[in-house]
Amino acid sequence: MAPDTEPTDEELHAVMVAARDAAVRREAISDAWTAARLAEAAAAVVADRAARESKTCRDDG
């Protein structure tokens, strides 16, 4: 794009496609990060629950 002219429809389209693609990539990265943190939290809860149940079983026996 020349700085002293209005952008053409094709130039605007190219910029919008690039912006959309970048946004989709950022969203995918964010979604993956969130999913990983949720998986870690779920695993921690499962491990904590197993530890508590194991401790309860030992105390009862």
Side-chain angles (χ1 to χ4, degrees), residues 3-57:
D4 58 344
T5 62
E6 290 292 319
T8 65
D9 288 344
E10 292 81 15
E11 291 170 329
L12 288 174
H13 178 73
V15 168
M16 294 305 293
V17 167
R20 181 199 61 211
D21 292 348
V24 168
R25 280 192 304 273
R26 285 192 304 271
E27 184 178 18
I29 291 167
S30 176
D31 288 350
W33 184 89
T34 300
R37 300 298 79 76
L38 288 171
E40 289 173 0
V45 168
V46 169
D48 184 60
R49 183 174 292 159
R52 288 173 187 254
E53 288 174 359
S54 175
K55 182 180 177 187
T56 303
C57 289

